[in-house]
Each structure stands twice: as structure tokens, then as C-alpha cells.
Amino acid sequence: MRNFEYYTPTQVVFGKDTHLQTGSLLKKYGAKKVLIHYGGQSAVRSGLIDEITSNLRESDLEYVTLGGVVPNPHLSKVREGIELCRKENVDFILAVGGGSVIDSSKAIGYGVANPDNDVWDFCLKKAVPTGCLPIGVILTIAASGSEMSSSSVITNEETKEKRGCAKTDYCRPKFAILNPRLTYTLPQYQTESGCVDILMHTMERYFVNIETMEITDSISEALMQTVIYNARILMKEPKNYSARAEIMWAGSLSHNGLTGCGTGGGDWACHQLEHELGGVYNVTHGAGLAAIWGSWARYVYEVNPERFAQFATNVFDIPCGTDYKETALAGIVAMENFFRSVEMPTSLHELGLDLTDQQIHDLAFKCSFEDTRTIGVFKQLNMRDMEKIYLMAR
């Protein structure tokens, strides 16, 4: 079991109509002029942006708005936000949306607070930020967990690179408003993609090849069971408040560090493999993870089949005999069957990608940073391993 630090400074305000507390929360954290950052027109059409701006005016807060964030958020929008914040003397960013909007907000916050650096250099690890504008969140998609995390992932649409912007506590949101009702209107595909993302944030920390803490494993296994159970409910009842609430809170807990206590940080190979798919082909993140996970699992499970067997037994109630490999494979099949049950892909073809050998080679070349790095800790993967997993996933 590894030493660990656990730090979760974000104030969570959870429940119905909690977004009406936005103004008072912003004032609590010292905001004077706010950038309201959001995605597409759904936030406008639903009336949410009007509710928020009205709430800010009632609280005597100035604001400017910037919409247009897309999935796999673009560097160009981040640069636009940095310029707008500097021009308008913004001192606080309010992210209204899901992971893409929150990640874009964090990158903008880094850019404004570090005027001597280009924000993309933080993604390329050429520079380290020394601060970030404070961030608040009104969550409308349960998926990324970015509302409580120190992570931010940005896509350079010109180079088709999807990279982690920086991982520091500077960008952790000051507060996160979680109103499950704000997720009611999400398309089914986005809802279930979000559920996969939550599962994967937990599994990336769970599948490590070291001794772990029983309590952390138990929390992770219960979280996964909860997501699987409620994701199936939402296929039939998209406005089931209880199921939406369970999924929303699971999303935050899956990525605020709780399920990584004592696991040494996690594996994250599937996320790295998917980042190339998102950067090059602009696929939905959770769906991309579902398409790649089974192939990754089959490629690495023999390193520690007992770990996969524990997953199969404790998450899917598969009896564990003396043959750990058999139980492990049954658990992998069970997870893929769950993906299918919520209409998520289990291959690149089902994801809508029919890739040539050359295209797969190019993905592995990019993922390995031109054959200069390995990924993963359950089993370290070099460029040739990455290529084999992409081929298995085809």
C-alpha cells in the first residue's frame, strides 16, 4: 500500500434548485466580475443562462459571457476566453456545463493568471502554472468529475493533439453546484457516455498491480455497482431524479482522488489511448473509452489475473474459483455486456471508426509521443503495445 495525500477543497452544493444560490456563492468567494463560460445553445434555450445572469444581477455582480465550447474543448476557444478576461478585467470564472466547459474554464484561468506563458505550454509540460483564476461550476453533465478535480484536458485543433493542460490544485473549483434536474434534457448517448467516463475514472485507479487498501477497493467497487445499476435505469427513465442524483454524485467522487487513496495514482493507459482518438477523430470521450477498454483489459490482465478476478466477483457477483484467469475474463465480458446494454460501443468499428493499419500506427506513434514514452502501470505499454491494443479494438 502506497503513501498518499488527499485534498478536496471544493465546496459542493447538491440538490434541487441549488443553482439559484450562484450569486451568493460567487460573492462568498470574492468575485466582482465574472466570466460565464458555457457550451452550446441548449444552456440558452433551456433558460438556464437567463436564470444565472438574473441571479448575478440580483447579487450586484458584473459579468460577461462566452459560449461555444465543444466536446474535446478547443485551444482556440481557450485563447479567446483569455483575451476576453484580460480585456474585461474578469476576476472569477463560472463554468456552466460539463467536463469540456470546466476544462476550458480551467485553461482560461491558467492563461489569465500566467501572462508570461503560452497556455499550450502547460499542456506540453514546457512550463508550470503558478496560479489560476478562481473557478466555480454549475454542473449540467455528470461525467468527467472535473468539478472537483485538479485535471484539465484541452485539444489543439490545429495539431490534433489532446493533452492534459496541467494538474495542479490551483485550478480546483472553489464551489460546485450539483442539481441533478439540470441533466434531465441530456440525450441518452451523452448520459450513458458520461456513465462510462465515471466508471473509467474509478477503474483507472482500481487496476493497479500493487497491494491496495481494502477500504479504497470497497468504495470503488460500490461506486461502480451504483453507476452500472443507475445507468440502466436511465435508459428507461431519463427523468428519474434518484438515478440522476446517484450518477451525479458518483461522477464527483470518482475523480476527486477518493478512489485513488493508496493505489499509487492509477494506470490511465485507456485514457491516454482514448485521448488520441478524441484529438484526431473528435469522438465522444466516454464512448471512446468503452470502445478501447475491453481490448486493453485482455492485453494486460494476465499480469495480475487475481485483480481482475476480484473485480469480476465484487462488481458483477461472478463466483471466483481456483482459475483466476477464467474469472478475470468473465469479468471483462460482463463489463462489455454492460456497455452494450446502455448502447455504448465495444470496438472502434462500433464507435464509427474503420481505421487502416497506417492510421492505427499513426495513433500509436502520437500516443507514445513519437516512440519516446510508455503509458500505464498495471503493465507498462510501449508504442508497439499501444498499436496492438488499437488493432485488437478494431
Side-chain angles (χ1 to χ4, degrees):
M1 183 177 64
R2 303 292 176 88
N3 294 357
F4 65 87
E5 293 184 14
Y6 180 54
Y7 179 60
T8 53
T10 304
Q11 178 183 354
V12 174
V13 183
F14 191 103
K16 300 171 184 176
D17 298 329
T18 47
H19 63 289
L20 299 179
Q21 300 178 37
T22 302
S24 61
L25 284 165
L26 287 166
K27 294 190 81 168
K28 172 182 176 178
Y29 288 101
K32 292 182 174 59
K33 189 164 188 178
V34 180
L35 171 68
I36 301 173
H37 198 33
Y38 61 96
Q41 288 300 305
S42 60
V44 176
R45 288 194 302 270
S46 69
L48 179 59
I49 297 299
D50 282 343
E51 278 191 282
I52 293 166
T53 55
S54 176
N55 190 263
L56 266 60
R57 286 194 298 271
E58 291 172 2
S59 300
D60 295 321
L61 287 166
E62 295 183 76
Y63 64 86
V64 292
T65 63
L66 179 63
V69 180
V70 297
N72 302 306
H74 288 173
L75 178 61
S76 59
K77 183 60 68 173
V78 170
R79 295 195 194 284
E80 184 182 348
I82 293 169
E83 183 178 345
L84 178 61
C85 285
R86 288 174 178 164
K87 176 183 176 183
E88 296 289 340
N89 294 314
V90 164
D91 60 13
F92 204 105
I93 301 174
L94 179 66
V96 182
S100 295
V101 172
I102 303 168
D103 286 6
S104 182
S105 297
K106 290 176 177 179
I108 292 170
Y110 279 139
V112 176
N114 297 270
D116 295 331
N117 296 103
D118 180 75
V119 68
W120 185 242
D121 283 345
F122 300 141
C123 300
L124 299 179
K125 308 302 184 282
K126 292 180 178 180
V128 178
T130 58
C132 183
L133 278 191
I135 311 290
V137 174
I138 299 176
L139 190 65
T140 64
I141 303 173
S144 74
S146 190
E147 66 275 5
M148 289 187 75
S149 82
S150 59
S151 300
S152 171
V153 181
I154 299 298
T155 298
N156 185 330
E157 65 270 38
E158 293 184 1
T159 63
K160 298 190 181 300
E161 293 173 292
K162 183 176 178 180
R163 298 286 180 260
C165 185
K167 192 173 179 64
T168 78
D169 290 326
Y170 296 125
C171 77
R172 285 184 184 269
K174 300 298 182 184
F175 66 83
I177 294 172
L178 276 58
N179 177 357
R181 284 181 170 172
L182 298 182
T183 68
Y184 279 4
T185 58
L186 283 174
Q188 184 185 85
Y189 188 80
Q190 277 189 294
T191 294
E192 301 302 342
S193 292
C195 291
V196 173
D197 198 10
I198 295 166
L199 286 169
M200 287 301 306
H201 285 152
T202 310
M203 290 191 287
E204 294 279 31
R205 294 174 170 91
Y206 184 87
F207 286 111
V208 291
N209 193 20
I210 60 172
E211 183 182 355
T212 57
M213 294 184 74
E214 181 179 342
I215 183 62
T216 300
D217 283 353
S218 297
I219 291 169
S220 297
E221 290 156 1
L223 195 155
M224 288 186 273
Q225 285 188 316
T226 297
V227 172
I228 289 166
Y229 178 79
N230 286 284
R232 287 175 169 148
I233 290 176
L234 291 177
M235 287 291 292
K236 298 177 181 179
E237 303 173 44
K239 292 188 178 181
N240 184 308
Y241 181 85
S242 294
R244 290 282 182 185
E246 296 283 359
I247 293 294
M248 183 169 264
W249 186 224
S252 296
L253 295 181
S254 74
H255 207 36
N256 72 359
L258 178 64
T259 59
C261 293
T263 69
D267 183 87
W268 301 103
C270 286
H271 266 74
Q272 299 300 322
L273 292 165
E274 193 288 326
H275 282 177
E276 303 311 322
L277 297 174
V280 177
Y281 300 106
N282 198 34
V283 301
T284 301
H285 180 53
L289 290 168
I292 208 81
W293 183 81
S295 296
W296 168 84
R298 288 185 176 85
Y299 193 80
V300 306
Y301 83 97
E302 289 186 278
V303 172
N304 187 351
E306 292 90 343
R307 188 65 172 166
F308 275 88
Q310 177 181 323
F311 166 78
T313 299
N314 291 354
V315 176
F316 288 104
D317 298 320
I318 296 170
C320 185
T322 56
D323 190 339
Y324 288 127
K325 291 184 180 180
E326 181 180 349
T327 307
L329 286 170
I332 295 169
V333 170
M335 181 54 80
E336 287 183 317
N337 285 339
F338 163 71
F339 290 155
R340 296 185 184 101
S341 75
V342 294
E343 298 181 4
M344 286 287 102
T346 57
S347 69
L348 297 181
H349 173 73
E350 291 176 5
L351 187 63
L353 302 177
D354 291 305
L355 304 182
T356 65
D357 289 350
Q358 183 60 50
Q359 288 173 315
I360 283 177
H361 174 81
D362 292 344
L363 285 172
F365 188 65
K366 285 174 68 67
C367 190
S368 64
F369 292 0
E370 301 182 357
D371 203 11
T372 63
R373 72 158 179 170
T374 60
I375 61 173
V377 297
F378 192 90
K379 175 178 178 166
Q380 278 199 345
L381 306 173
N382 60 30
M383 177 181 154
R384 281 144 293 284
D385 296 317
M386 299 174 206
E387 190 167 359
K388 289 175 183 177
I389 292 171
Y390 282 131
L391 286 169
M392 288 173 63
R394 194 154 58 173

